[in-house]
Amino acid sequence: MKRMIIFCMLFFCSTMVLTETSRRTLKYRQIHKKIEQLEAMVKEKDAELLHTPENPVEGCLYTAVSCFKKGIQKLQPARSQDNPMFTKAIRILNTWTYRDSGACESTCESYKKKTPKEFLNSFAKLIQ
């Protein structure tokens, strides 16, 4: 009887550990959701073109994330009504950090400039 109870407890605990989503996964989901929200609110007409990293190599991910964080600061809301939600989404995206020790020779200026929606779309692809 004791063995059966211990087995059931171990089975239950292992099942809970396997189904629990990691904090990192939840953070990435939250960031991806905020990027999608920004895509709907961002000013597209007369907006500044932004350096947009696409398909960065493994050692250049930190540089790409840095470029996206700099570019996010330049985004503007399309309507003034969206300003509080827009500001909150940008604040959440700025809290995300990426640690990488890879040395990269490219800079933000080496990437092509694209529209804000293309910029956010590339950022969402990087997050995925």
Side-chain angles (χ1 to χ4, degrees):
M1 184 66 174
K2 268 186 175 178
R3 289 183 185 179
M4 184 61 128
I5 292 173
I6 292 172
F7 174 75
C8 289
M9 288 179 59
L10 286 173
F11 180 75
F12 176 75
C13 291
S14 64
T15 305
M16 293 305 292
V17 168
L18 291 175
T19 59
E20 186 176 320
T21 307
S22 70
R23 297 182 93 206
R24 178 183 281 169
T25 303
L26 291 175
K27 185 69 175 172
Y28 280 110
R29 284 183 188 163
Q30 179 190 25
I31 290 169
H32 193 266
K33 184 178 176 183
K34 292 300 174 186
I35 291 170
E36 288 176 347
Q37 288 175 353
L38 280 177
E39 283 181 16
M41 294 185 281
V42 74
K43 180 179 178 182
E44 192 69 22
K45 287 187 177 182
D46 301 326
E48 180 181 351
L49 296 177
L50 304 167
H51 293 283
T52 306
E54 289 184 322
N55 303 321
V57 294
E58 188 67 34
C60 293
L61 289 177
Y62 180 79
T63 304
V65 170
S66 298
C67 292
F68 281 119
K69 287 180 90 171
K70 287 178 189 175
I72 285 173
Q73 298 302 315
K74 298 177 183 178
L75 295 175
Q76 298 175 350
R79 298 182 308 259
S80 60
Q81 297 95 328
D82 293 337
N83 202 23
M85 286 177 39
F86 190 84
T87 305
K88 183 179 179 183
I90 287 180
R91 191 177 327 120
I92 288 171
L93 291 174
N94 278 331
T95 61
W96 181 56
T97 57
Y98 179 79
R99 292 177 184 89
D100 184 18
S101 60
C104 185
E105 295 179 13
S106 65
T107 61
C108 292
E109 289 74 29
S110 65
Y111 297 111
K112 291 182 183 179
K113 286 188 168 188
K114 296 193 177 185
T115 64
K117 288 201 184 219
E118 291 174 319
F119 172 82
L120 289 170
N121 193 14
S122 292
F123 192 21
K125 286 180 185 176
L126 179 72
I127 296 298
Q128 287 178 342

